[in-house]
Amino acid sequence: MKRYRFDVIIIGCGPAGATAAVTLARAGLSVLVLEAGVYTGAENWSGCVYFTENLAQPDAFGEAAVSAAPYERRLVRRGIFLHNGLDQIGLSYQNPEIFHHCYTVLRPVYDPYWAGLARAQGAIILPQTTVTSLIRRGGRVVGVETEHGPAYAAVTFIAEGDASHLIRRERLERVTTPHFMQGVKAVFSLPQAVIEERFNLAAGEGCAYEYLIRNGQTGGQTLHLNIGAFLYTNRDSVSFGYVVPLDNLKENYRGDHGRLLEWIRGLSHFEALLKGATLSAYGTKLIRSGGLKEQPILVEDGLAVGGAATGLGIDLPYPNFTGPASASGLIFARAVRGLLSDSQAITADRLRQSYLEPLKASVYGLNAECLSAWPDYLENSRTFFGRSADLACGLAQFLSCPQTPLRQTARFLRGHMTIRALRELFKDGIKMLGASGLGPALFCGLTPSVVGRWILNLFKRPPEPDPGFSISIRFKDGRTFDIQKFPRPIQRLLTRLSPGLAEGMKLVYANDGKPLSEKFSKAARAVLNRVKLTDWITFPLFVFYLAGLSLAS
């Protein structure tokens, strides 16, 4: 049998594989890309917003290629919401300047474009080719075995995605059973004009929303699922779906994925946004969710692992898996390009120095480190997806309806303001702040200069609100609510904090290459700077008033 030898073999042609392939091919290296799908992107249902900053690098695809790509819409707005099954509260921010290099896409359409550009630069891409094993000699990876025969290279790059069978088969996993999320996504067709009217978008503009869904009940038992849903606009369709920890799904839900999707689709707000839409595509995907704590072995002699398997993808404050994946492909390609140009052997130590260390020091590595405890909290918290959602949405409901009988309000509050309930909320809140990285940011933001601002704010008028920022409260009957209708203490506080919240969202959402730890700190300071000294008196008094209501009647 003929022996094929290349400089680099890449397994998988997603964001990591395609970026690595074009960068290496541009440098004149021989590259073989092996793709198991019928075509690149054919089996990829992941992704809400595609982050293209690494693809736009001059030694990768470049800015012109990114602008010409078959994306659906340029992102101009993001939002995050809490849904208790009836009502919904949340925040959104619109400003196209901060979503630079962010696009909504359909991966089966988008991915083949990048594969074609890599092929045009000289990379050989073979679809419908599954790698069955790695070929090792003397402890070194020298090639791969496929269903069509072997191929050999100086270095092999595994970029298969989240559930890489080679990572498991070649014993590269560091943990026995990695954690995964089950992702389910459906694409619903809607006329372009309807989308733009319904979502208040101009032609070519796109939005992306993330939702945390309160755990539902069946047979009198609360299902511990901890579902995160998403919805984003395409050119003439809407992508809608959910992710749920796989262990929670196995232990607490015996129905099929489609039934669960239909339940979420039937919730208020989603039903209205998807009215008249027809299902055009449907798919499921496993998403690696253990983060850095479950990162596999990433380098060996002649071998590097990239893409989703690195565990660098994040889902807070928004999902970003394509940015870290393409970054791993770019950094790997640059490392190998340098090593081969100097005729150096591709050893684990050299890959660790030229690939792993830069990847760890990148903004994606720093973000994954910042959120290393978040996956565990997201999977295990019962309070956030239960009592916290009930209290937040319920308070918005009762406070917005002055005509609600006092007895009914008192009954609701009494159920959530017992000593046991408050202790549960406090403990879970501390865990959430620590796991998300927001806790350290708030603590570091409490400086003497901030306290000084609280005093100065007593004599200053609040700045004008940011027109791109919105506090959204929607009820099950379709009503929306304006914060100006809240009781005066809450109304004044939210009005004053709104410019700070807008600045915080602008800082956090900006795709500017700054790490989340820095963004969270600046965002916390932006909010704290809007507080008045008297707020520390009036707000506790309002809380005591609510506590008094809970004891009424």
Side-chain angles (χ1 to χ4, degrees):
M1 181 180 292
K2 188 174 181 180
R3 295 165 59 91
Y4 294 94
R5 182 168 183 83
F6 301 84
D7 292 318
V8 184
I9 292 174
I10 298 172
I11 305 170
C13 199
T19 306
V22 75
T23 306
L24 291 164
R26 278 182 178 273
L29 299 175
S30 59
V31 181
L32 173 65
V33 183
L34 302 172
E35 167 62 45
V38 177
Y39 59 88
T40 57
E43 301 175 0
N44 202 328
W45 286 91
S46 68
C48 174
V49 172
Y50 205 112
F51 291 74
T52 64
E53 59 270 16
N54 298 305
L55 280 62
Q57 292 298 307
D59 56 341
F61 293 100
E63 287 279 5
V66 170
S67 298
Y71 59 84
E72 295 295 304
R73 291 175 179 266
R74 292 179 183 271
L75 191 68
V76 300
R77 186 195 311 138
R78 294 206 81 132
I80 184 166
F81 305 93
L82 183 63
H83 199 301
N84 73 343
L86 299 173
D87 308 319
Q88 172 185 293
I89 62 173
L91 308 174
S92 66
Y93 190 75
Q94 178 164 333
N95 184 340
E97 294 181 4
I98 71 170
F99 299 114
H100 188 50
H101 282 138
C102 295
Y103 303 86
T104 64
V105 305
L106 293 172
R107 294 288 295 277
V109 176
Y110 199 63
D111 285 14
Y113 170 79
W114 303 112
L117 293 183
R119 185 181 289 112
Q121 291 295 327
I124 298 174
I125 301 178
L126 295 182
Q128 301 185 63
T129 304
T130 299
V131 175
T132 56
S133 65
L134 300 176
I135 300 173
R136 287 183 167 87
R137 289 180 184 166
R140 176 183 181 81
V141 175
V142 297
V144 299
E145 190 67 57
T146 78
E147 53 195 353
H148 304 306
Y152 300 86
V155 61
T156 299
F157 185 53
I158 298 178
E160 283 189 305
D162 296 271
S164 169
H165 75 287
L166 278 178
I167 300 293
R168 180 180 64 256
R169 181 175 298 176
E170 299 295 331
R171 299 183 180 179
L172 297 173
E173 292 284 10
R174 297 181 190 272
V175 296
T176 304
T177 308
H179 287 80
F180 289 90
M181 302 277 282
Q182 177 67 65
V184 176
K185 171 181 165 182
V187 179
F188 294 93
S189 297
L190 271 176
Q192 182 175 333
V194 173
I195 291 173
E196 289 161 4
E197 179 184 3
R198 190 169 293 179
F199 291 89
N200 192 26
L201 297 168
E205 292 183 340
C207 64
Y209 299 144
E210 282 79 49
Y211 305 85
L212 298 171
I213 308 294
R214 193 234 192 270
N215 287 326
Q217 292 186 336
T218 181
Q221 298 293 320
T222 298
L223 299 178
H224 176 57
L225 293 176
N226 296 8
I227 293 174
F230 58 86
L231 185 152
Y232 61 97
T233 56
N234 304 313
R235 191 185 310 270
D236 54 6
S237 65
V238 175
S239 292
F240 175 69
Y242 66 88
V243 291
V244 58
L246 189 59
D247 288 345
N248 291 358
L249 192 65
K250 290 178 178 178
E251 295 173 10
N252 298 280
Y253 182 72
R254 297 179 181 178
D256 59 48
H257 304 315
R259 286 180 58 193
L260 190 54
L261 181 69
E262 285 304 308
W263 171 72
I264 300 172
R265 183 188 176 189
L267 297 177
S268 61
H269 180 61
F270 300 127
E271 191 174 35
L273 290 177
L274 296 172
K275 182 179 179 180
T278 57
L279 180 66
S280 61
Y282 176 89
T284 64
K285 181 178 175 63
L286 288 178
I287 302 169
R288 197 175 183 99
S289 63
L292 289 185
K293 293 182 177 180
E294 296 182 0
Q295 193 175 63
I297 297 170
L298 298 185
V299 294
E300 288 186 350
D301 290 346
L303 175 71
V305 175
T310 61
L312 299 184
I314 60 171
D315 53 16
L316 178 81
Y318 45 77
N320 184 1
F321 297 93
T322 53
S326 59
S328 71
L330 183 63
I331 294 172
F332 164 79
R334 288 172 174 172
V336 169
R337 185 177 62 193
L339 292 172
L340 291 181
S341 66
D342 294 338
S343 300
Q344 299 185 56
I346 310 295
T347 64
D349 286 340
R350 286 177 176 145
L351 283 172
R352 191 172 293 110
Q353 182 178 10
S354 59
Y355 168 56
L356 280 193
E357 291 181 7
L359 185 62
K360 183 178 180 180
S362 71
V363 64
Y364 311 101
L366 295 175
N367 288 346
E369 181 66 35
C370 176
L371 297 174
S372 61
W374 179 251
D376 184 66
Y377 172 81
L378 189 68
E379 178 174 339
N380 294 299
S381 175
R382 294 179 180 272
T383 303
F384 190 84
F385 292 87
R387 190 180 298 278
S388 294
D390 288 341
L391 188 58
C393 295
L395 277 176
Q397 171 73 279
F398 285 112
L399 292 176
S400 66
C401 299
Q403 67 273 24
T404 302
L406 183 63
R407 185 181 299 274
Q408 186 177 347
T409 304
R411 190 185 307 118
F412 168 79
L413 292 171
R414 188 164 55 245
H416 292 287
M417 299 193 75
T418 64
I419 298 298
R420 179 181 177 182
L422 291 175
R423 186 186 301 118
E424 174 189 320
L425 288 166
F426 178 78
K427 289 175 65 177
D428 188 75
I430 293 298
K431 289 181 181 178
M432 186 272 289
L433 289 173
S436 66
L438 293 172
L442 287 170
F443 179 77
C444 294
L446 291 172
T447 63
S449 63
V450 169
V451 177
R453 280 186 175 271
W454 296 347
I455 298 173
L456 292 176
N457 287 343
L458 294 170
F459 311 100
K460 294 171 60 177
R461 294 184 61 182
E464 292 297 318
D466 187 328
F469 173 73
S470 174
I471 298 176
S472 173
I473 303 175
R474 295 177 180 272
F475 300 120
K476 61 180 180 180
D477 56 8
R479 290 183 300 117
T480 58
F481 182 69
D482 188 340
I483 63 172
Q484 299 302 323
K485 297 179 182 178
F486 271 141
R488 185 162 294 182
I490 300 298
Q491 173 202 130
R492 288 179 173 176
L493 178 62
L494 289 177
T495 300
R496 192 164 52 256
L497 292 183
S498 288
L501 290 169
E503 180 65 20
M505 292 193 77
K506 182 178 180 180
L507 288 165
V508 171
Y509 276 145
N511 190 28
D512 56 6
K514 296 178 181 178
L516 283 175
S517 57
E518 178 183 333
K519 291 183 174 186
F520 286 158
S521 295
K522 290 183 177 180
R525 184 179 290 271
V527 175
L528 290 171
N529 280 342
R530 305 300 181 188
V531 175
K532 290 172 62 173
L533 190 62
T534 51
D535 291 333
W536 299 106
I537 300 173
T538 57
F539 188 71
L541 288 176
F542 183 74
V543 173
F544 285 131
Y545 166 72
L546 294 178
L549 281 183
S550 71
L551 299 175
S553 65

